[in-house]
């Protein structure tokens, strides 16, 4: 090891001029790749994946960066360490201003009312400033994930990425660049999930031998008018990066939320016709049908069986490789009745979009996810992002540009990644909700047997109905 370090210094004398903290990175290692990865990036290797055979994880990170970048950009990435006085144990914020050279003036970001703080600034080639890395490539989601994993391995406790899309008071979050993400947040516990994202799965040649090509997620979601597609929530940008390499490794998919069109059901999809009106007109009057994303999963994964769960009986759909059930995932007993003894490679929660509902659903469904499987939580609000990240420290948060966030979790161990839910005031709030109702009325209001009473029958607002029904399941001990 000493001989290797001496060779490193001889080949790269500029390392000797670095601050004393930086050689620590080379001498004592980075838990997975240490000197090899950083020196390879320093020399701008384009064949990084082939040259780092000693560690598969190093190859994965370096390969993803090498595929995305030019040698000039890669040579500058190790300089990041010299700019991060708090990188070993602190948060690292990367701002991508590559689309907007006018946004960078004197090493600062201008054009926004609030100050934009950052540790690393990605800028277009030709822009030079302190803490800036000039890039001349399109930074897609894989590139961001690779940069996140690299900096977390360098010792950062958390990583944040945000991309500027347009200057001005009406800055657009939408982008036409394929694979571009607007934001990503990860912590040191997220490294296994990031690595699984970058690893991709089986070799392409083996995929072709095992199954027919699957549909590209963005194409499949739009074809079936799912709100995950590019005309709505844009989660397809994340799925386009994440899923195609796994299309023949995924044999089973579970999704919570089929997409009810019944106006009396909370969080229904009645709005979707207006959102897709231009698409519907082009397709000669085709209308949205419940189960849109379930049918898209069938197209994306040619070998997979797909299961859907929903609280609305009228939303159920069936077909080849497709089955659905009435099931409220706040009721752990009902989950066991429906899912035993099934297990899944991919679970997607597109159901109750509340912090309580998303954590309770994860606790109920986690036992049915294969080891090495992926769990996705869609529609995490910005308000709930910090508390859910605190509860799920192994997750990676992704923003594709539509406002809400999606969370990715890799199942690396059997244990549920979050503890039991607690609510000290639950009993009092439950009494405030249901104290004036007859004993059986709560079950009816909350959709007994998959049938809901007319909207407004029990509570004036949908938000109040969802809160009180969640409390009903919690106080009754039904929540996992």
């Amino acid at each position: 090891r000493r001989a290797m370090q001496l060779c490193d210094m001889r080949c790269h004398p500029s390392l000797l001029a670095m601050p004393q903290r930086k050689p620590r990175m080379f001498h004592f290692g980075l838990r997975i790749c240490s000197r090899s990865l950083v020196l390879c990036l320093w020399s701008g290797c384009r064949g990084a994946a082939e040259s780092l055979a000693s560690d598969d994880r190093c190859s994965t990170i370096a390969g993803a960066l090498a595929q995305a970048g030019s040698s000039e950009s890669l040579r500058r990435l190790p300089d990041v360490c010299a700019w991060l006085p708090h990188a070993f144990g602190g948060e690292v914020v990367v701002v991508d201003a590559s689309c907007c050279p006018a946004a960078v003036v004197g090493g600062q970001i201008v054009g926004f009312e609030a100050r934009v703080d950052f540790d690393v600034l990605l800028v277009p080639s030709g822009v030079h400033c302190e803490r800036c890395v000039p890039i001349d490539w399109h930074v897609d989601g894989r590139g961001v994930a690779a940069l996140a994993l690299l900096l977390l391995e360098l010792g950062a406790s958390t990583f944040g990425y945000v991309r500027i899309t347009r200057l001005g008071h009406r800055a657009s979050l939408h982008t036409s660049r394929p694979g571009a993400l607007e934001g990503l947040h990860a912590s040191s516990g997220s490294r296994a999930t990031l690595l699984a994202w970058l690893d991709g799965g089986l070799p392409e040649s083996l995929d072709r031998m095992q199954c027919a090509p699957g549909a590209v997620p963005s194409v499949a979601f739009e074809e079936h008018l799912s709100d995950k597609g590019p005309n709505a929530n844009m989660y397809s940008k994340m799925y386009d990066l994440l899923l195609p390499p796994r299309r023949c490794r995924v044999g089973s998919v579970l999704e919570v939320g089929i997409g009810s069109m019944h106006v009396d059901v909370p969080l229904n999809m009645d709005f979707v016709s207006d959102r897709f009106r231009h698409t519907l007109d082009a397709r000669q009057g085709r209308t949205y049908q419940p189960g849109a994303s379930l049918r898209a999963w069938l197209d994306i994964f040619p070998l997979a069986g797909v299961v859907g769960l929903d609280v609305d009986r009228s939303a159920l759909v069936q077909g080849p490789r497709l089955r659905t059930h009435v099931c409220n995932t706040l009721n752990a007993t009902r989950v066991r009745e429906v899912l035993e003894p099934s297990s899944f490679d991919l679970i997607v929660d597109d159901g109750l979009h509340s912090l309580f509902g998303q954590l309770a659903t994860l606790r109920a469904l986690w036992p049915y996810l294969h080891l090495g499987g992926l769990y996705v939580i869609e529609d995490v609000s910005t308000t709930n992002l910090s508390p859910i990240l605190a509860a799920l420290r192994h997750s990676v948060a992704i923003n594709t540009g539509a406002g809400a966030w999606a969370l990715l979790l890799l199942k690396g161990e059997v244990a549920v990644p979050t503890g039991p839910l607690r609510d000290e005031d639950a009993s009092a709030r439950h009494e405030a909700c249901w104290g004036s109702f007859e004993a059986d009325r709560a079950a009816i209001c909350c959709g007994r047997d998959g049938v809901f009473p007319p909207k407004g029958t029990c509570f004036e607002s949908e938000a109040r109905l969802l809160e009180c029904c969640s409390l009903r399941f919690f106080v009754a001990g039904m929540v996992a």
Side-chain angles (χ1 to χ4, degrees):
R1 292 177 61 86
R2 291 180 180 174
M4 178 63 185
Q5 291 169 2
L6 178 60
C7 177
D8 288 347
M9 294 303 184
R10 288 204 314 266
C11 296
H12 301 278
S14 56
L15 298 182
L16 297 173
M18 294 181 183
Q20 288 299 309
R21 178 184 51 77
K22 192 163 184 179
R24 179 177 97 107
M25 178 179 66
F26 294 92
H27 284 263
F28 297 101
L30 304 176
R31 287 190 294 279
I32 66 166
C33 47
S34 66
R35 301 177 302 278
S36 302
L37 172 61
V38 180
L39 289 176
C40 181
L41 294 176
W42 189 279
S43 60
C45 298
R46 296 306 299 268
E50 290 75 20
S51 67
L52 295 178
S54 60
D55 193 307
D56 291 339
R57 289 173 291 185
C58 290
S59 301
T60 299
I61 301 172
L65 290 172
Q67 290 171 12
S70 69
S71 58
E72 176 188 354
S73 302
L74 292 177
R75 279 197 299 269
R76 294 218 56 189
L77 282 174
D79 290 345
V80 168
C81 305
W83 308 329
L84 304 179
H86 59 290
F88 296 96
E91 181 181 15
V92 178
V93 177
V94 176
V95 174
D96 182 356
S98 58
C99 75
C100 309
V104 183
V105 177
Q108 299 295 326
I109 302 174
V110 300
F112 296 87
E113 293 183 2
R115 175 184 173 87
V116 180
D117 293 321
F118 59 87
D119 300 291
V120 180
L121 187 63
L122 305 182
V123 296
S125 294
V127 176
H128 301 285
C129 58
E130 185 181 1
R131 296 181 294 161
C132 292
V133 174
I135 60 175
D136 52 8
W137 81 91
H138 160 49
V139 183
D140 67 2
R142 279 181 56 81
V144 176
L147 187 57
L149 188 51
L150 172 62
L151 292 177
L152 291 172
E153 289 300 337
L154 293 180
S157 61
T158 59
F159 170 89
Y161 167 87
V162 63
R163 191 173 75 86
I164 298 174
T165 54
R166 186 191 302 171
L167 288 178
H169 67 283
R170 298 185 64 184
S172 172
L173 286 175
H174 294 70
T175 174
S176 59
R177 300 203 300 192
L181 301 179
E182 309 302 331
L184 185 145
H185 187 283
S187 64
S188 57
S190 310
R191 287 175 293 171
T193 300
L194 287 166
L195 186 62
W197 178 356
L198 295 173
D199 185 40
L202 297 174
E204 185 68 21
S205 59
L206 184 58
D207 277 357
R208 286 198 294 267
M209 292 170 57
Q210 291 194 2
C211 69
V216 176
S218 56
V219 174
F221 291 135
E222 188 168 17
E223 172 66 25
H224 295 286
L225 303 180
S226 167
D227 67 341
K228 303 183 195 304
N231 290 312
N233 291 331
M234 299 194 290
Y235 294 131
S236 56
K237 293 200 294 185
M238 172 186 72
Y239 289 125
D240 281 352
L241 296 166
L242 186 68
L243 299 182
R246 295 171 169 79
R247 67 180 184 275
C248 292
R249 297 179 66 187
V250 173
S252 51
V253 178
L254 171 66
E255 179 163 20
V256 179
I258 296 174
S260 171
M261 289 293 289
H262 200 299
V263 295
D264 296 328
V265 177
L267 302 177
N268 64 74
M269 296 287 288
D270 186 55
F271 67 90
V272 80
S273 293
D274 290 332
R275 177 170 289 185
F276 288 116
R277 187 165 303 283
H278 65 287
T279 305
L280 296 172
D281 292 343
R283 294 180 182 175
Q284 300 179 347
R286 280 186 55 192
T287 58
Y288 171 87
Q289 298 293 327
S293 58
L294 301 183
R295 288 184 284 272
W297 297 130
L298 294 174
D299 292 348
I300 295 166
F301 301 113
L303 300 180
V306 177
V307 176
L309 306 180
D310 203 280
V311 296
D312 178 21
R313 183 171 297 279
S314 68
L316 301 187
V317 295
Q318 312 295 341
R321 296 191 290 130
L322 173 62
R323 55 192 177 93
T324 59
H325 307 274
V326 172
C327 179
N328 191 323
T329 52
L330 299 183
N331 186 340
T333 300
R334 177 58 180 164
V335 169
R336 288 191 293 270
E337 293 173 353
V338 169
L339 296 184
E340 292 285 0
S342 303
S343 57
F344 302 90
D345 299 305
L346 172 65
I347 296 179
V348 179
D349 177 9
D350 189 16
L352 184 58
H353 306 325
S354 68
L355 178 64
F356 176 86
Q358 289 164 337
L359 291 176
T361 295
L362 182 140
R363 287 184 53 81
L365 298 183
W366 193 257
Y368 303 97
L369 182 65
H370 285 145
L371 282 174
L374 288 174
Y375 192 101
V376 181
I377 305 175
E378 295 182 352
D379 295 310
V380 176
S381 69
T382 302
T383 302
N384 291 336
L385 183 61
S386 292
I388 202 169
L389 286 173
L392 302 174
R393 296 185 180 277
H394 295 173
S395 61
V396 175
I398 294 172
N399 190 301
T400 56
W405 293 72
L407 261 64
L408 301 180
L409 294 95
L410 174 77
K411 185 170 182 178
E413 56 186 23
V414 174
V416 179
T418 184
L421 301 179
R422 304 184 183 280
D423 189 337
E424 303 297 334
D425 301 325
S427 296
R429 292 192 294 118
H430 178 272
E431 178 63 22
C433 284
W434 302 109
S436 61
F437 286 81
E438 298 177 0
D440 192 45
R441 190 62 180 171
I444 296 173
C445 292
C446 297
R448 184 170 61 186
D449 298 325
V451 179
F452 284 80
K455 190 174 184 178
T457 300
C458 302
F459 298 96
E460 291 184 0
S461 72
E462 182 179 276
R464 182 63 172 166
L465 174 64
L466 291 172
E467 178 188 9
C468 290
C469 288
S470 296
L471 286 168
R472 170 180 174 263
F473 285 104
F474 182 77
V475 170
M478 301 180 188
V479 175

